[in-house]
Every structure is written in structure tokens, then in C-alpha cells.
Amino acid sequence: MTEEKLPLRSENYSEWYNQVIQRTEMADYAPVRGCMVVRPYGWALWENIQQALDKRFKATGHQNAAFPLFIPMSFLEKEKEHVEGFSPELAVVTIGGGEKLEEPLVVRPTSETVIGYMYSKWIKSYRDLPVLINQWGNVVRWELRTRLFLRTLEFYWQEGHTAHATEQEAEEETRRMLDVYTDFAVNEAAVPVIPGMKSATEKFAGAARSYTIEAMMGDTKALQSGTSHNLGQNFARAFDIQYLDQNNALQYCWTTSWGLSTRFIGAIIMTHGDDQGLKLPPRLAPIQVVIVPIYKNDEERGKVIPVVEKVQQMLTEFRLKVDDRTEVTPGFKFNHWEMRGVPLRIEIGPKDVEKGSVALARRDIPGRDGKQFVSQEGLAAVVSNLLKDIQAAMLEKARAFRDANIHEPKDYAELNTIVQNGWALAHWCGSVDCEARVKEDTKATIRCIPLENGQGKGKCIVCGQPAEQKAYFAKSY
RNA sequence: CGGGGUGUGGCUCAGUCCGGCUAGAGCACGCGGUUCGGGACCGCGAGAUCGAGGGUUCAAAUCCCUCCGCCCCGACCA
């Protein structure tokens, strides 16, 4: 256990990020460069994310399945854009069981290809459609520069893969799942994301169209936090995913894919974290409430512990932890659990035993202002309401921060200034050249063309030509 | 992959330029005691083939050669 304070976010954001993760025991570096070990506390958060998403996937008619880790190299090569996009970051197995393989196997970077192959076997008739399958798993992409959770060689995610009879249905599915992600991000993680469409340069390799939810991190950089792709008929044609329609005519399917990864943990850390450490949204926090007993000696301990146990019994509906360690002081425990982002702390000491009270301290409001003393009676209801308040307050705070750092530039020079420390929302004519110029001049990219507030005529911020849409420009992770 | 930096107990580092006793410190860890409502303190203790390999030397963490890892900055990406 380390005692020192974290680096200040304002002084060294990336160092703050690294240390928060390691010191809260969310993850650690693995012996292989670029790989991470997700430790129990980080994985517990991921499990809560999984549950929140999986519930939504099931509610929208999807089923889970598992596809293989290895994909024949030739599969990747079937879709031209796909192979171009992914070949630089593939891990390839060439030896198996001591023998050189006849055909190299790719460790899946994503599963469109194997799943496409299977779908072509399974789908014969319009009666088989739609196919709505999701997979929870891991994938490998050989990244050169890695960061815990944000970009690692191997990461965990879910990938949904669906096949439909019509283009319209596929587009509806793509948008439906983007809505699911948005709902999850906003209402479970308190991360106020902006849903939008990716530009052609930023879209998924092989997609007709990509949608994204973009979140603003505490340093104002953007993080693509989930994506949903309308694959058109690209993979259906590459893998012969065909069906007979009502008129006995052979048709290609329309497919989609959508994914959200452990990267989202990074989004939670960087959206809510402060100089004290993590700040986890109550709905996803592995520990929602921590009880710290306070006593000076065995006599006081004898009085306090029974009350702690009583209170614990009252709060069984919450994910609760009692920190009854004797080797560290209460003050140490306060900092310990604050760094780990536990939304609510309950202190129970001799005074509380006397008065029938407890002390409550909110993680989202530091110091005395976030502390209150309440009666032990009816505590469950008070805690429940408080957790809801905290959840709402965190979302509101994140939203206010985001909005305060989004600006609409009047001219190109101003766009330049804005993206140095925030997001710019500006008209864009849609040309690749204008997009590329912004990137070259400022390092900022188009994060998305927002679904809301993205229309309306104007002039392209770069070239001055007429533009029908707006885009967010920002530096990103 | 290019440019820069760095490797010394679990962590952060000193020592390296100018070779020389048993390689130090703080934190973390173990034991004992005093503490305990915002990161306690004292005492004792355990823990290192100084990134790896080779060379120079009576003697190498320190000088020379080769290799490797990691970090930062750039080109590619969920």
C-alpha cells in the first residue's frame, strides 16, 4: 500500500491516470509488453458493466454465443477494406503442435469474418432472419503505443453481429444499439456521451457507415467509447451470406456489428476521477458503501462493532464493505476508499453509538461539505436516495464540464485555438481534404457528426464552401 | 519503426563522471509496543546474483563491447 498522494491531474494527467489504476489495484502491467492484467477490483467493475449491457442486449432480442479465437488468414483477406485496415495490427500463429501450419491463423482482432462465414452456413431463408448474436470475449490488436485500458494488445469487449433482410432493418439495428450504448453510458456510468456518425476516414474498416459515442475526458480529450457499424452488404458479399426472399429470389443479407470494450473503464476513470483518485458511479461501483468503524480501545471497539454489524444488516441491498482492519487508522481508510472511488462512506464511532447516528460522507463532494450525520433509523432509504443523488450529481457535473469545454469557432484560426484545450463544433463540408488539413494543422480529428444539433446550413470552417452538417473536432485518445 | 531517456531490494531513488571496506536511504513488508472521528509514532527485523552476456583490471554497480527491457516524443489505432 502506498501512502503518497497522487500526481495532480492538472500537472501530469497521464501519470495521474497510470497511478490511479495501479494504486487502486484495477490493473497491472503483464510481463508481455502492451498487455495488462485486470485485477479483481477492475474486473468487478467490468462485470457490472457487462451486466448492465447484457441486460439491454437481451431486452432487444439478442442472444450470446461464442466464436473461436483463431481465424484462417484467408478469411481476413476476403473483404478488401477490412484486411487493409487490420493487417498492420494482426498477431499471426504460424506454428501449431510443433509443425508449421499450412495456413497461418490470425488471433481475432474482431470477428466479422468468422461470424460471416458461419452466418453463410446458417442463413438460407428470409425466415431465418434476423440473426441477432452477441459475443463476450477478448481480441488482439498489435498496437505500438499502449495505455492501460485505453489501448492494449489484448482487450476484453463484447461484439454484436447481426444479419437482416433489408438495408433499412440493418440501419435500424445499428442505430438501436448506438442508443443502447448511449443509454448505458449516460444512465449507468454517468458519462454524458455524444452519439454521432464517424467520417469516412474514421469509420470501421469494411463498414458502410460507423456510429460512435464520444466522451470528453478530464483533460478535454475525446474518447471513442463505443461503436456501432452498418456493414451494408460488404461482408455478406465477401462471405456469401445469402437468403431466399418471399419471391424465391436470392438476396444478400445486410449485416451490422457493434462493440464496447474495457476501454470504457478508462472512460469512467477519466470522466469522473479527481486528484483524490477514482470516483465511481454508484450504479456500477463494485463497492457502493464502505463502513469504517472508529474506536480507540477494546472497550470502545466492543460497543462499536455490534452497531456496525446491525447497520450492515440494514443495508444488505447494497454492495457493501466493512473495513474492520485494525492495523491502519480510520484516516488512512478514508483516503484508501476515496482513492478507490467508493461513492459513499459510513463512519460509526462511539459518539454514534451513543446518539444512534452514523456519519455519511459522499465521495463526490470532498471534505466537510459532503459529510452529514443521520439517524440509524431508516438508514437504508437514506442511503438509497443518497446514492441516486450522487449518481445524478456525477452526471450533471460531467455534463457541465463537457459543455463548458465545447465551443463554436467563428473562423479557422479560432478552431485551432479551441481544440488545443477543448472540442470545437463547426460546419464541415464533408471533404476528406478539409478533414486532413485540420488534423495536420492541429492534431485534432473529427470525432463525429452529431445526430442531434448537427444539421443546418452553414459554411465549412476550413474551406468556406457550403456545408450541411456540423462536426466535433477534438484531440483524442 | 525513427529520435531522446533510463535500467540498483516490491516501489521511488542516491552511489557511476574520478574503479577500492560488508552497495545506502525513504516508502511498502514482518514482529513488539504506544496510537486510532482525515494518510500515526518508536524499536527491532527480513529483503539485492546492481537488466543480461562478454571484456579490461589485483579489484567493476562504476571503464569498454554486444544484446534486451521499460518510459517519453513522433508516424498507425477500439
Side-chain angles (χ1 to χ4, degrees):
Chain A
M1 227 154 300
T2 321
E3 271 195 32
E4 276 166 46
K5 292 204 164 180
L6 290 164
L8 297 179
R9 292 185 312 154
S10 54
E11 282 171 14
N12 192 344
Y13 198 80
S14 59
E15 193 49 35
W16 170 86
Y17 178 79
N18 277 326
Q19 288 201 23
V20 165
I21 290 171
Q22 290 186 75
R23 287 170 54 180
T24 59
E25 298 173 325
M26 291 197 110
D28 202 353
Y29 291 102
V32 177
R33 180 197 70 88
C35 290
M36 68 173 165
V37 174
V38 183
R39 302 183 66 177
Y41 194 59
W43 194 260
L45 177 59
W46 178 238
E47 284 178 340
N48 290 341
I49 291 171
Q50 285 183 304
Q51 279 175 31
L53 283 171
D54 207 61
K55 194 175 71 186
R56 287 167 169 79
F57 297 158
K58 303 277 167 62
T60 43
H62 302 84
Q63 291 181 298
N64 286 331
F67 293 85
L69 181 65
F70 296 126
I71 301 175
M73 184 61 129
S74 57
F75 280 28
L76 268 290
E77 289 159 0
K78 287 189 184 207
E79 213 289 332
K80 186 170 162 284
E81 235 184 84
H82 196 62
V83 68
E84 279 174 12
F86 280 104
S87 59
E89 42 183 332
L90 294 179
V92 182
V93 179
T94 56
I95 296 173
E99 306 259 316
K100 187 168 184 291
L101 298 177
E102 231 169 82
E103 180 179 356
L105 297 174
V106 170
V107 182
R108 65 180 171 213
T110 176
S111 303
E112 276 77 6
T113 56
V114 242
I115 292 179
Y117 173 86
M118 296 313 295
Y119 280 8
S120 77
K121 287 175 64 172
W122 296 341
I123 297 167
K124 299 293 168 209
S125 150
Y126 71 92
R127 297 181 203 277
D128 298 327
L129 297 173
V131 175
L132 306 172
I133 291 180
N134 176 64
Q135 156 166 268
W136 289 98
N138 54 342
V139 287
V140 168
R141 298 180 188 177
W142 213 263
E143 300 290 349
L144 299 175
R145 281 188 70 179
T146 61
R147 301 202 62 192
L148 291 172
F149 290 119
L150 299 182
R151 184 171 297 110
T152 45
L153 289 203
E154 180 191 21
F155 59 88
Y156 303 87
W157 73 344
Q158 61 63 221
E159 45 178 327
H161 295 270
T162 69
H164 307 265
T166 66
E167 181 171 20
Q168 192 198 333
E169 271 183 49
E171 178 66 12
E172 281 169 8
E173 168 76 3
T174 310
R175 294 288 296 268
R176 181 179 305 118
M177 299 324 285
L178 187 75
D179 288 347
V180 162
Y181 288 153
T182 306
D183 177 55
F184 159 78
V186 173
N187 295 317
E188 301 281 353
V191 173
V193 294
I194 293 179
M197 195 191 298
K198 280 290 180 191
S199 68
T201 28
E202 296 280 331
K203 79 172 173 58
F204 176 74
R209 227 181 346 273
S210 287
Y211 296 93
T212 175
I213 49 171
E214 295 286 324
M216 184 186 284
M217 303 296 99
D219 60 355
T220 75
K221 282 166 93 171
L223 184 73
Q224 179 175 310
S225 307
T227 48
S228 187
H229 314 291
N230 184 333
L231 303 174
Q233 291 182 315
N234 296 344
F235 285 86
R237 288 179 189 277
F239 288 90
D240 274 319
I241 312 173
Q242 289 181 291
Y243 71 96
L244 282 172
D245 67 13
Q246 287 94 324
N247 306 314
N248 204 35
L250 207 50
Q251 305 280 359
Y252 282 108
C253 285
W254 301 82
T255 66
T256 82
S257 68
W258 27 275
L260 187 145
S261 75
T262 38
R263 171 181 255 202
F264 201 91
I265 293 175
I268 291 173
I269 295 169
M270 288 194 287
T271 297
H272 300 304
D274 62 16
D275 286 335
Q276 204 57 237
L278 296 174
K279 200 192 281 177
L280 299 178
R283 291 186 63 91
L284 295 178
I287 300 170
Q288 296 173 306
V289 181
V290 64
I291 300 181
V292 177
I294 290 155
Y295 48 82
K296 285 193 185 28
N297 48 46
D298 282 352
E299 190 206 331
E300 283 185 0
R301 185 183 150 86
K303 288 178 183 164
V304 167
I305 294 299
V307 176
V308 167
E309 282 166 0
K310 188 188 94 185
V311 169
Q312 187 177 8
Q313 287 310 309
M314 294 169 67
L315 301 177
T316 48
E317 68 195 88
F318 306 102
R319 295 190 287 274
L320 180 130
K321 162 100 185 164
V322 175
D323 189 350
D324 54 0
R325 288 179 293 175
T326 53
E327 68 272 22
V328 288
T329 61
F332 182 92
K333 294 176 186 176
F334 297 168
N335 287 284
H336 179 88
W337 295 111
E338 275 169 15
M339 191 184 293
R340 280 160 181 73
V342 175
L344 189 65
R345 179 178 74 240
I346 300 179
E347 301 169 22
I348 301 175
K351 289 178 208 161
D352 299 301
V353 173
E354 257 175 56
K355 294 184 203 161
S357 64
V358 300
L360 299 178
R362 295 171 62 142
R363 174 61 180 89
D364 65 320
I365 305 176
R368 212 157 282 170
D369 294 343
K371 224 159 159 170
Q372 53 177 302
F373 297 87
V374 303
S375 167
Q376 288 163 22
E377 227 166 289
L379 187 59
V382 173
V383 167
S384 175
N385 285 330
L386 210 41
L387 289 176
K388 280 179 196 142
D389 278 1
I390 294 168
Q391 180 87 23
M394 285 175 66
L395 177 61
E396 211 25 68
K397 184 166 187 190
R399 201 190 300 267
F401 176 82
R402 181 197 69 187
D403 292 346
N405 287 290
I406 295 177
H407 306 284
E408 302 203 29
K410 287 185 291 292
D411 52 37
Y412 189 62
E414 201 184 331
L415 177 137
N416 231 303
T417 321
I418 290 169
V419 297
Q420 295 317 312
N421 198 19
W423 295 11
L425 176 62
H427 279 281
W428 171 54
C429 65
S431 98
V432 178
D433 290 345
C434 290
E435 187 180 7
R437 188 179 154 198
V438 173
K439 187 173 181 185
E440 205 172 309
D441 291 348
T442 68
K443 308 262 188 248
T445 52
I446 290 181
R447 301 320 304 156
C448 70
I449 296 122
L451 299 182
E452 274 175 44
N453 196 18
Q455 309 310 309
K457 290 189 196 308
K459 284 182 180 171
C460 177
I461 194 74
V462 187
C463 66
Q465 295 301 303
E468 313 246 316
Q469 61 193 354
K470 285 182 181 175
Y472 284 100
F473 297 83
K475 293 187 183 175
S476 71
Y477 278 100

